Amino acid sequence: MKPGSTLMKHYLQFKDLRVEEYAYLLERTRIIKTRFKNYEKYQPLADRTLAMIFEKASTRTRVSFEAGMYQMGGSVVHLTTGDSQLGRAEPIEDSARVISRMVDLVMIRTYEQAKLERFAAYSRVPVINGLTNEFHPCQILADVYTYIEHRGPIRGKVVAWVGDGNNMANTWLQAAEILGFTVHVSTPRGYEVDPALAGITDRGCYRVFKDPMDACRDAHLVTTDVWTSMGFEAENEARQKAFADWCVDAEMMAVAQPDALFMHCLPAHRGEEVTAEVIDGAQSVVWDEAENRMHVQKALMEYLLLGRIG
């Protein structure tokens, strides 16, 4: 798609795409991943450049986007606030105007969603949310694909979210509303999900449980995240106390469906939000989940730059 085209799309939160677009993306992911596993060269993004802008540290986001873009034939420019004007006095709007004239696609991993949206508003090229305090759409896209890969369609299923009402929880609710499944949410008091912040209109896509064991009961997927996300380190001591009963353990997995999966976006703190027995156990698919970040993002970048293939 040409820069500035009326057809240009950004991917700033999960609800930016429609259910039919997700059906397409998930199928493209399957095809692209199969080609990768069969060592088939596929480089539709030759001569395209991705700018990656990091205000938050990253392992999986950087490796998955960078490796994925190179595998698709493109190039990558890596920026942080320390080596660009983003960390200094230049307005975000001006950085967007300049950077988007030199590259074909921008991925940003930052703090406030508003900062991402300001950049996108002045960008001539598609912008992807690599993570913000409010949303993490690429991770949930990978999680949904991983569930489908292992268990088939996610529509009608139950996902148990145990832990903080954070960016992951918000994005799971958006995915449930769009893709037709239900999220069982259990958080400590004071750390609940805010449906208005999550950006959902259908309260029927989730249920709230005080007891995490009840949230996990009959779930098809149990998932969690660290108790203290980046940017909230000052709250760590209080969170350690508040979240003590929100550790996914064998007992929680035992009340879920017999073939329930366990997921975690990583990095994980064994003994805090999940026991080693669970994350390293037979029901855990966290390593497939992490790998699939790369495959879904390859499909996403292809779609944002080239539209539908075939």
Side-chain angles (χ1 to χ4, degrees):
M1 297 182 186
K2 295 181 180 179
S5 166
T6 57
L7 298 175
M8 186 182 74
K9 289 178 178 289
H10 299 300
Y11 193 57
L12 309 183
Q13 50 186 301
F14 200 89
K15 69 178 184 180
D16 283 345
L17 299 181
R18 304 182 306 274
V19 63
E20 57 269 25
E21 291 177 291
Y22 279 113
Y24 170 80
L25 275 179
L26 293 165
E27 176 59 15
R28 285 301 299 168
T29 298
R30 185 190 66 78
I31 293 168
I32 289 169
K33 182 175 180 179
T34 299
R35 283 175 166 163
F36 174 79
K37 294 297 184 181
N38 290 335
Y39 297 96
E40 296 177 20
K41 188 176 182 179
Y42 180 61
Q43 298 187 332
L45 302 185
D47 299 322
R48 302 296 184 101
T49 302
L50 166 69
M52 302 193 304
I53 301 172
F54 292 94
E55 288 195 303
K56 281 190 173 185
S58 168
T59 298
R60 277 151 293 278
T61 296
R62 178 174 180 179
V63 174
S64 59
F65 270 106
E66 190 162 342
M69 191 61 174
Y70 284 133
Q71 289 165 19
M72 299 283 272
S75 301
V76 177
V77 175
H78 178 263
L79 297 169
T80 68
T81 52
D83 56 25
S84 73
Q85 290 294 336
L86 287 169
R88 301 188 181 96
E90 184 172 61
I92 292 170
E93 293 81 358
D94 290 357
S95 292
R97 288 182 175 106
V98 172
I99 293 170
S100 67
R101 284 174 176 262
M102 300 178 180
V103 301
D104 302 281
L105 190 62
V106 178
M107 186 283 297
I108 302 177
R109 184 177 170 95
T110 187
Y111 290 89
E112 302 87 359
Q113 181 78 10
K115 184 178 291 188
L116 177 75
E117 291 172 352
R118 284 169 59 196
F119 189 103
Y122 287 84
S123 175
R124 292 161 54 96
V125 301
V127 176
I128 297 173
N129 181 351
L131 176 143
T132 61
N133 288 346
E134 292 86 353
F135 301 108
H136 199 357
C138 290
Q139 181 64 58
I140 299 304
L141 182 57
D143 294 359
V144 168
Y145 179 77
T146 304
Y147 183 86
I148 293 170
E149 187 176 52
H150 282 267
R151 295 290 185 262
I154 197 168
R155 177 171 292 276
K157 299 301 192 294
V158 173
V159 174
W161 176 262
V162 177
D164 189 16
N166 62 8
N167 52 3
M168 287 286 292
N170 290 338
T171 311
W172 269 117
L173 294 192
Q174 288 194 357
E177 185 174 54
I178 294 167
L179 302 181
F181 59 90
T182 303
V183 181
H184 286 184
V185 178
S186 182
T187 69
R189 186 176 180 181
Y191 299 92
E192 298 87 354
V193 172
D194 178 353
L197 177 62
I200 61 168
T201 57
D202 179 11
R203 297 295 183 93
C205 71
Y206 75 102
R207 294 178 61 194
V208 176
F209 296 83
K210 291 182 179 180
D211 188 335
M213 189 74 75
D214 292 334
C216 294
R217 203 172 307 279
D218 295 324
H220 300 88
L221 167 62
V222 178
T223 184
T224 189
D225 193 5
V226 295
W227 291 343
T228 306
S229 298
M230 283 181 287
F232 298 90
E233 289 83 0
E235 302 175 10
N236 187 57
E237 186 175 347
R239 285 172 174 264
Q240 291 287 325
K241 295 176 182 178
F243 284 80
D245 293 331
W246 276 262
C247 175
V248 178
D249 57 20
E251 287 73 22
M252 290 186 194
M253 295 302 299
V255 300
Q257 291 282 335
D259 65 344
L261 300 176
F262 172 78
M263 292 188 193
H264 191 305
C265 59
L266 302 177
H269 299 155
R270 289 165 174 79
E272 290 187 11
E273 73 275 5
V274 62
T275 63
E277 180 183 12
V278 169
I279 195 171
D280 297 323
Q283 291 173 280
S284 174
V285 290
V286 297
W287 316 122
D288 291 342
E289 177 190 5
E291 178 189 341
N292 283 335
R293 279 288 302 277
M294 181 176 73
H295 302 302
V296 298
Q297 288 163 188
K298 286 163 73 174
L300 177 64
M301 291 190 292
E302 178 191 68
Y303 179 60
L304 293 178
L305 288 174
L306 303 179
R308 289 177 180 257
I309 304 296

